[in-house]
């Protein structure tokens, strides 16, 4: 699509929006539109469907649209008119009637498929909604559809699929179409960035929320592992899997986080253990303009290694100075113990633990489906072998799948690898933060994602700037398990004092 035609399409979208401005709409502006009569849920859904129909052929952010979404939106409008619905009143009605796009590894018990982007799972039927989807529906949200992703959440081969899935095609960065969109929650981040929806969910084993959020100039929250239920989500590892929001603003992402945290009997051990971290009154109370004041923020070595004179070098320096001006105490030149090993997923123990965990978890998920064309990892491998062109077997391969299939459970080698990972986390970032009494560390993009991931620790990525060619980059606040309140304070204050985000221009 030419730049001229694309500009005309975007202009048409703006005119079609009428009195309500769909571009950069927030949950607050959407709810105001509902309240003052300038918008209904049905109209909002139609506006987003229009944007998807125009932009998705270019961006490939959305795999599938819910065929019943307008019916659900009409029901939300009826509930709002009654003004007595429990759904409308719950949580202040912040998500009521709002369309939500889910990454295509989060199951829904409806007309939508859940396939992790793979043709192998097309037509599979879940017994129930995923835990986080159940919470969203209880809050009155409307499931708009499924977002594209790196197929199998980037866990099929070592070099990954770079935003591609067999069902969704090649996802593209809306800022610079030739740039890396990152993944594996790329479709979710792209859709939010391009105003195809206001609220999306992503999932994360390592950098799968923080990385696409950074490179698509949106906000991504990677919660403490277990804070959000993983039940009904196509798994990789129970040690590191987590589900979190990807939105355009910190406030919107926190609204969504509030809605999806909590105990789930189908992920009982993890959600019970972490429920102690959920603050009374929820997370919205931590949207504090002065949230940087008095915070001790570590700037670890090994991350801000940008050459002098580059945009990133100058902008990140400015951002660190902004934090100081807002009252933060920055502690620089900190060394995370054995950082090189921690960051090396081929030698830190992950290459031994993850394949075994994946096979066990995936086979369990497949057996729980009401119907599935495949019932095991072995059958998925066979499907890929039988469909090498559609699944790009020659280009991408499935070496991780093959390695996982050869595992026989969690034995002595896997347990030793898991102990090593725990030791790296305990003696690394956890020890550093406790010794220096840090509220957070700050790093560029998702560069510290592995450090956070192996310890099940949270992070929030916020837009930080745009490179020489216009490609976005982000800033990540990371902390210890349960540190979401202080991370939210810092991320929100940083966002409000920098106001970096701008809508994409679809550069070639």
């Amino acid at each position: 699509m030419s730049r001229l035609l694309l500009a005309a399409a975007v202009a048409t979208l703006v005119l079609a929006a009428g009195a309500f401005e769909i571009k950069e709409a927030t949950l607050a502006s959407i709810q105001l539109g509902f309240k003052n009569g300038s918008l209904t849920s049905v109209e909002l859904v139609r506006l987003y469907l229009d944007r998807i129909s125009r932009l998705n052929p270019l961006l490939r952010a959305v795999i599938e649209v819910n065929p019943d979404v307008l019916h659900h939106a009409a029901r939300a409008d009826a509930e709002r008119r009654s003004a007595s619905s429990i759904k409308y009143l719950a949580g202040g009605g912040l998500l009521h009637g709002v369309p939500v796009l889910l990454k295509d590894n989060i199951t829904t018990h409806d007309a939508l498929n859940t396939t992790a982007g793979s043709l192998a799972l097309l037509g599979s039927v879940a017994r129930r909604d995923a835990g986080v989807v159940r919470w969203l529906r209880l809050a009155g949200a409307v499931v708009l559809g499924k977002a594209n992703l790196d197929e199998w959440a980037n866990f099929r081969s070592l070099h990954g699929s770079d935003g591609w899935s067999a069902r969704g095609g090649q996802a593209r960065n809306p800022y610079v179409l030739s740039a890396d969109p990152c993944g594996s929650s790329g479709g979710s981040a792209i859709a939010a960035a391009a105003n195809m929806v206001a609220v999306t969910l992503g999932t994360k084993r390592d950098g799968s929320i923080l990385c696409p959020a950074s490179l698509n100039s949106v906000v991504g929250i990677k919660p403490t592992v277990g804070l959000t239920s993983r039940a009904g989500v196509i798994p990789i590892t129970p040690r590191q899997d987590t589900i979190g929001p990807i939105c355009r603003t910190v406030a919107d992402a926190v609204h969504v986080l509030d809605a999806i945290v909590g105990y789930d009997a189908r992920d009982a051990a993890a959600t019970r253990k972490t429920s102690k971290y959920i603050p009374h009154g929820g997370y919205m109370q931590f949207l504090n303009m002065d949230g940087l004041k008095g915070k001790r923020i570590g700037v670890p070595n090994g991350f801000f290694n940008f050459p002098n004179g580059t945009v990133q070098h100058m902008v990140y320096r400015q951002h660190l100075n902004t934090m100081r001006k807002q009252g933060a105490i920055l502690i620089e030149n900190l060394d995370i113990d054995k950082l090189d090993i921690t960051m090396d997923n081929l030698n830190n123990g992950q290459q031994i633990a993850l394949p075994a965990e994946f096979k066990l978890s995936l086979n369990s998920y497949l057996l729980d489906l009401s119907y599935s064309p495949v019932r095991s990892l072995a059958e998925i491998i066979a499907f890929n072998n039988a469909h090498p062109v559609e699944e790009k077997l020659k280009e991408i391969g499935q070496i991780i799948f093959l390695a996982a299939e050869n595992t026989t459970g969690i034995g002595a080698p896997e347990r030793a690898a898991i102990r090593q990972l725990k030791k790296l986390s305990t003696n690394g970032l956890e020890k550093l933060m406790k010794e220096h009494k840090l509220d957070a560390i700050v790093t560029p993009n998702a560069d510290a994602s592995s450090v956070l991931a192996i310890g099940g620790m949270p992070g929030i990525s916020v837009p930080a700037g745009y490179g020489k060619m216009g490609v976005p980059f982000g800033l990540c606040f990371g902390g210890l398990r349960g540190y979401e309140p202080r991370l939210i304070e810092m991320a929100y204050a940083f966002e409000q004092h920098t106001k970096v985000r701008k809508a994409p221009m679809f550069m070639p």
Side-chain angles (χ1 to χ4, degrees):
M1 182 185 293
S2 72
R3 291 285 309 283
L4 184 60
L5 287 175
L6 184 60
V10 173
T12 302
L13 288 170
V14 172
L15 291 173
F20 183 80
E21 178 56 69
I22 191 72
K23 186 178 177 181
E24 301 296 287
T26 64
L27 288 176
S29 69
I30 288 169
Q31 291 299 332
L32 180 60
F34 290 160
K35 186 176 181 180
N36 66 24
S38 64
L39 185 68
T40 67
S41 294
V42 168
E43 290 168 346
L44 181 61
V45 166
R46 284 179 173 152
L47 288 170
Y48 283 135
L49 290 177
D50 193 29
R51 288 192 70 88
I52 290 169
S53 70
R54 294 171 186 267
L55 295 178
N56 205 56
L58 180 71
L59 301 178
R60 297 288 182 182
V62 180
I63 282 184
E64 187 175 352
V65 168
N66 188 347
D68 300 318
V69 65
L70 286 169
H71 169 73
H72 295 315
R75 185 168 60 192
D77 286 332
E79 290 170 349
R80 195 178 306 107
R81 285 192 297 269
S82 73
S84 60
S85 166
I86 292 176
K87 285 185 181 179
Y88 180 60
L89 296 174
L94 296 170
L95 285 171
H96 187 274
V98 175
V100 177
L101 190 68
L102 307 171
K103 187 176 177 180
D104 186 42
N105 60 352
I106 302 173
T107 57
T108 51
H109 185 57
D110 55 17
L112 288 165
N113 287 284
T114 305
T115 67
S118 170
L119 295 170
L121 279 177
L122 190 60
S124 61
V125 180
R127 297 181 187 276
R128 60 190 75 83
D129 282 334
V132 290
V133 177
R134 180 171 60 88
W135 284 120
L136 287 172
R137 292 199 202 272
L138 285 172
V142 175
V143 176
L144 178 65
K146 296 294 178 71
N148 200 2
L149 71 164
D150 290 40
E151 192 174 291
W152 292 105
N154 211 21
F155 202 70
R156 204 181 95 179
S157 67
L158 291 175
H159 57 78
S161 60
D162 296 323
W164 177 89
S165 74
R167 288 197 63 217
Q170 180 62 57
R172 302 176 80 183
N173 189 308
Y175 289 85
V176 178
L177 298 172
S178 58
D180 183 7
C182 204
S184 63
S185 303
S188 301
I190 293 164
N195 287 282
M196 299 161 84
V197 70
V199 174
T200 73
L201 285 191
T203 68
K204 180 179 172 71
R205 167 189 58 87
D206 193 308
S208 295
I209 289 175
L210 300 177
C211 184
S214 295
L215 297 191
N216 293 280
S217 200
V218 288
V219 175
I221 298 180
K222 175 232 185 260
T224 297
V225 169
L227 198 66
T228 54
S229 170
R230 288 86 52 83
V233 176
I234 298 175
I236 295 178
T237 167
R239 286 186 301 106
Q240 294 178 200
D241 287 350
T242 187
I243 295 86
I246 300 177
C247 302
R248 287 185 293 274
T249 69
V250 174
D252 282 0
V254 173
H255 279 307
V256 180
L257 183 67
D258 258 336
I260 63 174
V261 298
Y263 174 76
D264 184 350
R266 294 181 54 241
D267 191 12
T271 55
R272 182 185 294 114
K273 183 178 180 181
T274 54
S275 61
K276 64 185 178 183
Y277 295 134
I278 301 172
H280 180 71
Y283 292 102
M284 292 299 297
Q285 62 187 301
F286 300 104
L287 296 176
N288 179 8
M289 281 285 289
D290 295 322
L292 285 163
K293 188 174 183 179
K295 295 294 192 300
R296 293 178 58 83
I297 300 175
V299 185
N301 294 323
F303 294 101
F304 289 101
N305 299 323
F306 301 96
N308 289 339
T310 61
V311 173
Q312 286 85 349
H313 178 264
M314 292 185 291
V315 170
Y316 281 128
R317 281 285 120 195
Q318 290 170 2
H319 287 329
L320 295 179
N321 286 332
T322 295
M323 293 180 204
R324 292 187 183 95
K325 289 176 182 177
Q326 295 304 317
I329 303 162
L330 268 60
I331 300 93
E332 301 189 68
N333 297 318
L334 298 176
D335 289 317
I336 298 175
D337 186 58
K338 296 184 178 177
L339 178 64
D340 55 339
I341 298 175
T342 301
M343 300 282 284
D344 184 357
N345 286 333
L346 293 179
N347 292 293
N348 62 9
Q350 295 280 45
Q351 82 287 359
I352 297 173
L354 285 175
E357 293 169 328
F358 174 66
K359 180 182 178 181
L360 290 170
S361 301
L362 180 63
N363 285 348
S364 177
Y365 168 86
L366 294 171
L367 290 173
D368 188 55
L369 295 172
S370 294
Y371 167 77
S372 177
V374 290
R375 288 291 187 180
S376 68
L377 175 58
E379 291 184 11
I380 293 170
I381 292 170
F383 178 93
N384 291 341
N385 287 332
H387 301 84
V389 176
E390 299 93 328
E391 287 291 344
K392 287 193 175 183
L393 197 59
K394 182 178 180 180
E395 298 91 336
I396 297 173
Q398 53 179 344
I399 187 65
I400 294 178
F401 278 12
L402 295 172
E405 181 57 27
N406 283 331
T407 63
T408 56
I410 306 298
E414 290 79 15
R415 286 192 290 271
I418 292 169
R419 285 196 298 271
Q420 178 178 327
L421 287 162
K422 289 181 178 177
K423 186 176 180 180
L424 286 170
S425 183
T426 300
N427 295 336
L429 180 58
E430 294 177 45
K431 182 179 180 182
L432 179 77
M433 291 196 65
K434 290 173 182 176
E435 283 185 348
H436 292 273
K437 297 181 172 59
L438 301 179
D439 294 293
I441 60 165
V442 63
T443 53
N445 297 315
D447 292 6
S449 62
S450 294
V451 178
L452 298 173
I454 64 171
M457 293 179 277
I460 302 179
S461 179
V462 185
Y466 303 87
K468 186 176 180 181
M469 303 304 294
V471 179
F473 53 89
L475 192 72
C476 178
F477 296 89
L480 299 179
R481 290 179 292 274
Y483 271 30
E484 279 83 357
R486 60 187 82 184
L487 297 183
I488 289 167
E489 285 190 311
M490 288 177 275
Y492 181 74
F494 173 80
E495 174 199 51
Q496 294 302 303
H497 288 291
T498 56
K499 296 285 187 179
V500 168
R501 177 178 157 77
K502 57 186 179 183
M505 295 299 293
F506 311 100
M507 299 292 288

